[in-house]
Every structure is written in structure tokens, then in C-alpha cells.
């Protein structure tokens, strides 16, 4: 699989230009500062990357669309390196298209 940077560039070309992060119990757009609950989020696609030399370098890229049609990405660690808040939020998202 391609690197995280290459896939992020391709996803951005598909219109996923915002960046998101999980703050407390909401997904927050770093572009618009809008907050979204799990039921307002669709995971359009996700890509998992494994560290070549260290399993702790594993990550996951989510391509996300929100209820108001904002599209962007969220990057998190995978497995033991996952952010607990992000993992807890993503488990609650029911609309996954992949």
C-alpha cells in the first residue's frame, strides 16, 4: 500500500480537504470549528498503514463526510497507539461505507 502522505494527497483530490480531530466527545473541524456527534458523521473510507520497522508506527486514515457535507480526514494511531478518545468516538459511528 502507498504511504500515508500519498494516500492523503489522493483523498484530498477527491474533496476531503478539511481536517478533523476528536475533542472530548465530538469530532471537530479544524477548518470551520464545527462540532459533530457520531450520528452526524459518515466514514466514507478508511485506510490502515503498518509501520515497516515498528508496529507502533501503525496508523489509520479516515475519510469523513459530515451531516452538513463537510469532507475531510482524521488520522489516528492504530492498535496500541490509538488515541482513546478518537477510538471511543469512532466506535459510535454507525455509518461506515467501506
Amino acid at each position: 500500500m502507498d504511504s500515508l502522505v500519498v494516500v492523503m494527497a489522493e483523498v484530498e483530490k477527491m474533496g476531503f480537504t478539511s481536517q478533523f480531530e476528536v475533542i472530548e466527545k465530538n469530532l471537530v473541524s479544524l477548518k470551520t470549528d464545527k462540532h459533530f456527534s457520531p450520528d452526524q458523521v459518515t466514514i466514507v473510507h478508511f485506510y490502515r498503514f503498518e509501520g515497516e520497522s515498528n508496529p507502533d508506527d501503525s496508523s489509520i486514515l479516515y475519510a469523513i463526510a459530515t451531516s452538513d457535507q463537510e469532507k475531510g480526514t482524521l488520522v489516528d494511531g492504530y492498535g496500541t497507539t490509538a488515541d482513546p478518545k478518537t477510538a471511543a468516538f469512532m466506535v459510535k459511528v454507525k455509518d461506515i461505507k467501506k
Side-chain angles (χ1 to χ4, degrees):
M1 176 171 276
D2 292 328
S3 72
L4 175 62
V5 174
V6 171
V7 174
M8 279 189 81
E10 289 300 314
V11 169
E12 197 169 288
K13 287 179 189 175
M14 295 187 293
F16 294 87
T17 56
S18 294
Q19 284 144 14
F20 296 105
E21 72 176 317
V22 175
I23 299 176
E24 295 183 23
K25 296 183 179 183
N26 292 309
L27 184 74
V28 179
S29 168
L30 301 179
K31 187 176 190 177
T32 63
D33 198 37
K34 291 183 180 177
H35 292 232
F36 302 95
S37 61
D39 64 328
Q40 295 175 302
V41 171
T42 299
I43 299 171
V44 178
H45 207 69
F46 59 92
Y47 308 85
R48 204 173 116 201
F49 303 90
E50 295 184 15
E52 290 183 31
S53 61
N54 185 347
D56 288 340
D57 292 338
S58 297
S59 60
I60 188 165
L61 168 68
Y62 296 97
I64 295 171
T66 65
S67 57
D68 70 351
Q69 306 308 310
E70 186 172 357
K71 292 168 60 177
T73 58
L74 171 68
V75 178
D76 191 21
Y78 191 79
T80 60
T81 62
D83 175 62
K85 290 181 291 185
T86 300
F89 181 90
M90 295 312 244
V91 166
K92 295 177 185 173
V93 175
K94 301 297 182 206
D95 196 358
I96 301 173
K97 300 294 184 193
K98 183 174 181 179

